[in-house]
Amino acid sequence: MCFYVSASKHNEKIGFYFAVQSGDEDFDMHFQVAGPDFTEIISASQQQADMVIAAKQPGEHSFCFTNPTSSDKTIDFDLALEKESETYDEIPTFKGSDDKEKALELVKALHENVDMMKETLLGLGRNQAHFHTRTNRNFATVLSTERRIFWFSVSESFLIMCVALAQVFFVQMLFNKGQKTRV
């Protein structure tokens, strides 16, 4: 299954995140990133990836997933163009505005703070997605361990009953054998 994003200019940054949320024992997912001319940029098998790729050339980039196993998997992914912060060299002038340089500095500082908050929120979102993925995987591990413990205890109980029955059989055989020799 492939997804596409179109880079409009050279060195535009493409943010790519994916994580396998659920599946059988194997959480690995093979993914491939290809450029507009179908040249392979990245090809790997991982449980999750979080990367930023600089587009070598403008055009449509493909992000393809293949499942190496036959089990169903649920993945969480995010694919986005990351815009560079804009430069604000010119601001509109308002009536009564005498100090254009001071206003320009204030606007630049405000935009830098907004960009910093945006990056912080994106980082928090990525951390939250990472912890959500980790919780799902740990839950899958708990379920697998629980299933193994159940079957181990069932087989252990069956083995104990077999040993008890064998002991009863052998003890009865010893007593019956002893009565035959006395007669």
Side-chain angles (χ1 to χ4, degrees):
M1 180 178 294
C2 294
F3 298 92
Y4 302 92
V5 66
S6 184
S8 59
K9 60 184 177 182
H10 178 69
N11 279 338
E12 189 168 13
K13 297 197 185 313
I14 302 170
F16 173 60
Y17 164 80
F18 88 92
V20 179
Q21 294 292 327
S22 65
D24 281 347
E25 301 291 321
D26 184 21
F27 281 96
D28 283 347
M29 179 67 83
H30 181 76
F31 69 96
Q32 179 183 13
V33 179
D37 55 354
F38 302 108
T39 57
E40 186 177 281
I41 298 173
I42 297 172
S43 180
S45 285
Q46 295 179 358
Q47 295 177 353
Q48 71 180 42
D50 188 4
M51 59 188 75
V52 176
I53 301 166
K56 302 271 188 235
Q57 56 188 345
E60 195 171 67
H61 289 69
S62 65
F63 296 82
C64 299
F65 296 99
T66 53
N67 188 0
T69 63
S70 61
S71 65
D72 291 337
K73 294 181 182 175
T74 303
I75 63 169
D76 175 28
F77 79 97
D78 184 25
L79 187 60
L81 288 174
E82 296 188 3
K83 303 287 184 188
E84 294 292 324
S85 58
E86 301 173 20
T87 57
Y88 299 97
D89 295 331
E90 214 172 289
I91 59 170
T93 56
F94 301 104
K95 292 182 181 179
S97 143
D98 296 331
D99 197 4
K100 186 176 179 180
E101 289 295 319
K102 186 175 181 180
L104 185 60
E105 285 179 28
L106 290 174
V107 168
K108 282 184 181 180
L110 182 64
H111 282 289
E112 287 173 6
N113 286 336
V114 168
D115 287 341
M116 187 173 61
M117 286 191 296
K118 178 181 143 192
E119 290 299 318
T120 303
L121 287 174
L122 285 174
L124 286 173
R126 286 186 177 141
N127 283 339
Q128 185 178 17
H130 171 73
F131 286 123
H132 179 70
T133 300
R134 201 166 86 178
T135 300
N136 284 344
R137 284 196 201 131
N138 290 344
F139 185 69
T141 303
V142 166
L143 289 178
S144 172
T145 304
E146 198 174 76
R147 193 171 48 246
R148 289 177 188 173
I149 289 171
F150 172 77
W151 286 112
F152 179 75
S153 62
V154 166
S155 61
E156 185 181 33
S157 298
F158 179 73
L159 185 63
I160 287 173
M161 284 194 279
C162 288
V163 168
L165 288 174
Q167 284 177 346
V168 167
F169 175 74
F170 286 123
V171 168
Q172 280 182 349
M173 194 171 73
L174 285 174
F175 282 117
N176 288 339
K177 195 182 225 184
Q179 287 176 356
K180 287 181 185 178
T181 57
R182 285 186 187 170
V183 176

